[in-house]
Amino acid sequence: MMAKARRHLARDPVMHALIRRHGPCELTPHRRSPYEALSRAIAHQQLNGRAAETILARFVALFPDARFPAPAAVLAVRATTIRRAGFSRAKVRALKDIARHAVKGVVPTRRACRRLSDEEIIEHLTQIHGVGRWTVEMLLIFTLGRLDVLPVDDFGVREGFRAAYGRRTRPTPKALRAYGDRWKPYRSVAAWYLWRAASDARRQAK
């Protein structure tokens, strides 16, 4: 599948150059449940990876009988207890709301997700406090392995496009969405290469 995606994307000369530079796409989804993936995404919002993982480790340690706390367990524990792990009040509210919606069945299982389109999953999950479209797009790409998601609001994707395509400014989300139509049905793979281009630009700027 990835070889087919590369051949399709390589019709775009700039994408072809990125593929030659960075090699095969290493987009490998992890096996977490959508509930766990959303909870972890909340922890990572506006924090660097190391700080977020430290807070997550403290959070998980509050529930020593599970690899990751079940939704019912999160609902049962006091908000002040979760706050002590290092979460802000807004993030505690989001974690509680994710758990609440998981218990109600709004957060689908991996199996249930197979029957839902990308947009249906986005519509379901953005009902939850603190969960926006970008968060769900990350879940679609990195948890569910959906291959045709272009997160046009993502800073790294837009910056990668600017750098790779030699633009003076980053494209608007609307412009990037329009340009990205040529990458269908492998826009997630295109995004992976644009993230690599953004990383190259950061290194060159140092």
Side-chain angles (χ1 to χ4, degrees), residues 65-129:
D65 296 331
R67 184 190 63 81
F68 194 84
V74 174
L75 291 177
V77 74
R78 293 172 61 123
T80 52
T81 300
I82 299 176
R83 281 269 289 150
R84 285 199 290 272
F87 288 114
S88 66
R89 286 186 177 86
K91 288 189 176 185
V92 171
R93 181 183 171 191
L95 289 169
K96 289 274 192 180
D97 210 36
I98 291 169
R100 189 174 299 111
H101 282 80
V103 168
K104 291 193 295 186
V106 175
V107 179
T109 62
R110 291 183 69 96
R111 184 174 182 178
C113 284
R114 295 182 196 135
R115 301 190 296 271
L116 299 172
S117 70
D118 295 346
E119 286 301 322
E120 285 172 329
I121 294 171
I122 290 169
E123 183 179 348
H124 272 70
L125 297 182
T126 51
Q127 300 174 42
I128 302 171
H129 175 77

Side-chain angles (χ1 to χ4, degrees), residues 158-171:
R158 291 168 62 209
E159 175 61 15
F161 184 92
R162 183 204 64 76
Y165 287 81
R167 305 293 175 86
R168 294 182 64 184
T169 60
R170 288 184 292 276

Side-chain angles (χ1 to χ4, degrees), residues 9-107:
L9 294 176
R11 297 172 186 171
D12 178 333
V14 174
M15 197 60 65
H16 178 69
L18 287 175
I19 292 168
R20 290 193 64 181
R21 178 177 177 82
H22 296 284
C25 174
E26 297 175 359
L27 196 57
T28 306
H30 49 65
R31 298 295 301 171
R32 295 176 183 136
S33 69
Y35 156 71
E36 180 180 344
L38 285 178
S39 299
R40 289 181 174 275
I42 292 297
H44 279 268
Q45 286 177 355
Q46 299 176 321
L47 288 177
N48 66 51
R50 183 175 297 178
E53 288 299 324
T54 297
I55 292 170
L56 272 167
R58 293 186 197 131
F59 172 63
V60 172
L62 297 173
F63 308 88
D65 296 331
R67 184 190 63 81
F68 194 84
V74 174
L75 291 177
V77 74
R78 293 172 61 123
T80 52
T81 300
I82 299 176
R83 281 269 289 150
R84 285 199 290 272
F87 288 114
S88 66
R89 286 186 177 86
K91 288 189 176 185
V92 171
R93 181 183 171 191
L95 289 169
K96 289 274 192 180
D97 210 36
I98 291 169
R100 189 174 299 111
H101 282 80
V103 168
K104 291 193 295 186
V106 175
V107 179

